[in-house]
Amino acid sequence: MIRKAWIGATAAVALTLTLSACGGGGLAAGGGGDGGKGDIRLGMAAPLSGSSAAIGPYMKNGAQLAIDEINASGGVLGRKLELVPEDDACDPRTAASAAAKLVTEGVTVSVGGYCSSATLPTLSIFNKADVPMIIPAANSNDLVKSKLPNVFLLNGTGAQQAQAAVDFIKSSGVKAVALADDNTSYSKDISTRTGDKLGAVGSVKVVDHESVTAGESDYSAAVTSILNSKPDFVYWTGYYQEGGLLIKQLRAAGYTGKIMVADGSVDEQMISIAGAANAQGVLATMTQTPQTIAGGEKWIADYKAAFKADPGPYSTQSYDAVRVAAEAIKKANSTKGSDIVAALEKIDGFPIFSGKLKFTPEHTLSEGGFGILVVQGNTFVLNK
């Protein structure tokens, strides 16, 4: 049901994305927080170095593609948009420094955030500076726990992802599940919620729950514990580098059951690290990637023409984050943070890749949009 609704919503939206004008050139510029002059600057903290560096360019390019399209249509409030990227390396301390730098550079809206653990310390920095955050990727429920008014999630939450995993596990006839996370906010949130939800399912038992340390190269202790628990299904909720190693080591140790990963591992580098043979058939809970969107071929072609590369995970969400920011600024007729926040809360039906956007009172998506992907060859495709 989740996957079917997700595909149906995106089919219609994808055909209208490039037709929905975000420009507000005919509007008089409001009394914005940036003085109403020059380009409107959108900040993006994303991993451009470190273990998740493969994701950063996808996010930056997706955001830039939207900016280029909006500027070609006249901009917003008669002004051009400008992307200001900063490297957060998926590291909390680096991310806090990046956020502080973006504030000093006068950004109007933040459209970044990939690793939840790195995004968390930026929340208060942007909140104090009255900078709305439209977070395209990071999705731990911890991000909205403090109910800061400036924080909006454009990705499904950890709770929604956990529910998608549980629904699939229940429908697959699985009896024994082992959970594994990397002890970060994002990963632990999904694994804990999945375990709690599975605990209410009488036909499925959680036989092991491992927490490993990110960045290590040997997960033999966790692998041994998982094998000893005799699961027929393993769900890894961390990132792709560790996920690839864990899959490789599980298969080498003789595990032949099903493996599923969370969205932080949906990257072709995971397949490379695990080894193509080991990764075949690995499942994933994931919001849309460009290649799995019905009717998304034109968008992919536009991306490739602009950047001479294929789009990857979170390029579409970053594209949408810019479009939502532009829509809110236009509707607010202002670049003042509190005015933009009010406009974001009123959005109802704005087309994005995952469907028609409406935020809940908690500033999360009304619908999570998670589907199930599977590794075939050297990529992830829709599981049918």
Side-chain angles (χ1 to χ4, degrees), residues 245-318:
L245 286 171
L246 185 65
I247 292 167
K248 182 177 182 178
Q249 291 171 20
L250 278 169
R251 294 305 191 204
Y255 178 72
T256 59
K258 294 180 180 179
I259 299 174
M260 187 161 72
V261 299
D263 56 344
S265 283
V266 179
D267 189 275
E268 291 180 0
Q269 289 202 38
M270 188 213 77
I271 301 171
S272 176
I273 294 168
N278 294 325
Q280 295 309 297
V282 168
L283 300 151
T285 48
M286 182 64 184
T287 48
Q288 83 287 338
T289 63
Q291 292 81 3
T292 61
I293 296 170
E297 293 82 6
K298 184 184 184 305
W299 190 89
I300 293 173
D302 289 344
Y303 182 104
K304 292 176 72 170
F307 306 109
K308 313 304 179 189
D310 291 323
Y314 299 107
S315 51
T316 51
Q317 289 92 336
S318 299

Side-chain angles (χ1 to χ4, degrees), residues 22-23 65-76 80-81 322-323 326:
C22 291
L65 182 60
I67 284 175
D68 291 344
E69 290 176 359
I70 292 166
N71 286 344
S73 297
V76 182
K80 299 293 186 182
L81 298 181
V322 169
R323 295 177 60 252

Side-chain angles (χ1 to χ4, degrees), residues 291-380:
Q291 292 81 3
T292 61
I293 296 170
E297 293 82 6
K298 184 184 184 305
W299 190 89
I300 293 173
D302 289 344
Y303 182 104
K304 292 176 72 170
F307 306 109
K308 313 304 179 189
D310 291 323
Y314 299 107
S315 51
T316 51
Q317 289 92 336
S318 299
Y319 175 87
D320 278 337
V322 169
R323 295 177 60 252
V324 171
E327 177 71 4
I329 293 168
K330 182 178 73 171
K331 293 298 185 183
N333 195 31
S334 169
T335 54
K336 184 178 179 181
S338 57
D339 293 341
I340 297 170
V341 166
L344 286 167
E345 291 177 334
K346 294 177 183 177
I347 285 178
D348 189 354
F350 184 73
I352 61 175
F353 274 112
S354 61
K356 300 291 186 178
L357 178 62
K358 180 178 176 62
F359 289 109
T360 68
E362 293 75 33
H363 294 179
T364 61
L365 292 184
S366 298
E367 298 180 1
F370 282 96
I372 305 298
L373 306 185
V374 64
V375 175
Q376 288 184 8
N378 293 314
T379 191
F380 287 85

